[in-house]
Amino acid sequence: MTAQPLTIGVIQMSMTDSVAHNVAHAIELVRNAAGRGARLVLLPELFENLYWCQVQREAYFANAHPVEGHPFLPRFQNLARELGLVLPVSFFERSGQAHYNSLAMIAETGEILGVYRKSHIPDGPGYQEKYYFNPGDTGFRAFPTAVGTVGAAICWDQWYPETARAMVLQGAEVLLYPTAIGSEPEEAGAIDTSLLWRRAMIGHAVSNSCYLAAANRVGTERVDGHEQTYYGTSFIADYQGEVLAEADRITEAVVVATIDLDAARRFRAGMGFFRDRRPDLYAPLVTYDGRTKPR
């Protein structure tokens, strides 16, 4: 069966310290993308608030909520149902005594198809996520949806080729990465990672012959005396690594691109990347030191 062309929308937005404002603004931007034909729309990581992981404060654990009875996920479920689109939504999840950086994959029916919990958790100046988040326990996921099979991971996951490969092996035809990334503090070298960030993901698109999109926040945020500027540059790339649509470093944006999943599928088969894999030789990948498999 031939797939219809699919239009993807990527939201680049600035956040405030008001959850109500951020959620309402995100809904407005999703409507904008849908009005331009998007049937799959990606919002940034933890768009509900300022990126509080700049600092370690017990008070910010109050931002976490269970999926059941969540304060804003139902609004996005209703939005997906109304607009007939697939909507992955990032949120801070509480489950029992655990806390996760999570993503709910919402179908065009409004149903939550499942939850992915961020696997790779960073810990460094300005990005102190290990204080807040348990390592994800869902494994990497590819969600069959009405618009194709969608793989979704979260921010730091995007630097790991194993993440992308695992999702595509499960059938993902589009890879999505909601993100919160920007300036590095002086103690971390004050480097600008924007080009590295994009190159890493374009490499995943090429080596997996797969479409890929990343949504970042933009603007300067101040949290408890700490300041960080997020560099935007959200983008959509095709299966050969060409950037189809992109945002700049300083402004909010809704970027859209129309993709051809059938063309990508043919190209992927013809390139032979998956035909010529040698899983029998990859044992070092499931170790920390290249020799000893963790117990």
Side-chain angles (χ1 to χ4, degrees):
M1 181 171 149
T2 301
Q4 295 296 314
L6 168 66
T7 299
I8 299 179
V10 169
I11 308 299
Q12 177 167 295
M13 61 183 282
S14 299
M15 286 60 167
T16 72
D17 60 2
S18 166
V19 174
H21 171 85
N22 296 331
V23 168
H25 189 39
I27 288 172
E28 174 189 10
L29 294 171
V30 171
R31 288 188 182 280
N32 180 303
R36 295 166 62 188
R39 296 181 59 218
L40 172 63
V41 180
L42 180 65
L43 287 156
E45 178 187 22
L46 300 174
F47 64 88
E48 68 197 74
N49 214 320
L50 300 176
Y51 182 71
W52 64 85
C53 306
Q54 289 188 52
V55 297
Q56 296 184 12
R57 301 286 187 273
E58 290 179 1
Y60 293 127
F61 283 102
N63 294 342
H65 299 278
V67 174
E68 189 73 27
H70 194 276
F72 64 77
L73 283 178
R75 294 186 63 183
F76 288 95
Q77 291 178 262
N78 292 336
L79 183 67
R81 185 184 305 113
E82 174 194 342
L83 299 177
L85 51 78
V86 176
L87 192 58
V89 176
S90 170
F91 68 104
F92 187 11
E93 181 189 3
R94 185 176 80 244
S95 179
Q97 300 304 317
H99 298 82
Y100 298 100
N101 187 338
S102 296
L103 177 145
M105 184 64 71
I106 302 175
E108 80 290 347
T109 60
E111 175 191 1
I112 294 179
L113 299 176
V115 170
Y116 167 70
R117 293 168 171 166
K118 186 173 181 176
S119 301
H120 302 96
I121 310 298
D123 184 35
Y127 301 91
Q128 300 186 49
E129 294 196 14
K130 277 188 167 67
Y131 179 74
Y132 295 101
F133 307 129
N134 293 81
D137 58 0
T138 58
F140 305 118
R141 301 197 61 181
F143 297 90
T145 77
V147 300
T149 302
V150 178
I154 302 170
C155 201
W156 194 230
D157 288 330
Q158 69 209 357
W159 295 90
Y160 294 84
E162 297 89 345
T163 303
R165 180 53 54 90
M167 291 190 289
V168 179
L169 281 171
Q170 294 177 71
E173 300 171 280
V174 182
L175 300 177
L176 302 180
Y177 294 98
T179 299
I181 191 168
S183 57
E184 297 289 340
E186 289 293 332
E187 60 265 44
I191 60 173
D192 182 346
T193 60
S194 60
L195 291 179
L196 285 71
W197 175 75
R198 179 174 290 199
R199 288 169 185 153
M201 285 185 282
I202 292 217
H204 303 332
V206 170
S207 60
N208 291 283
S209 302
C210 191
Y211 288 100
L212 183 148
N216 196 12
R217 60 180 63 203
V218 71
T220 297
E221 297 182 9
R222 295 169 182 85
V223 177
D224 294 351
H226 293 254
E227 181 177 292
Q228 203 149 271
T229 299
Y230 300 90
Y231 51 61
T233 63
S234 305
F235 70 98
I236 301 167
D238 75 5
Y239 52 89
Q240 297 185 44
E242 295 295 329
V243 175
L244 303 177
E246 60 187 322
D248 65 25
R249 295 179 64 106
I250 58 174
T251 56
E252 293 192 317
V254 177
V255 297
V256 299
T258 299
I259 65 175
D260 185 340
L261 297 180
D262 283 336
R265 193 176 300 118
R266 290 191 299 270
F267 183 84
R268 189 182 309 120
M271 281 299 295
F273 291 149
F274 289 85
R275 178 196 63 214
D276 298 336
R277 291 180 66 250
R278 291 292 307 278
D280 54 314
L281 303 179
Y282 300 158
L285 294 178
V286 295
T287 73
Y288 289 117
D289 62 5
R291 297 183 298 274
T292 308
K293 187 174 181 178
R295 292 180 179 274

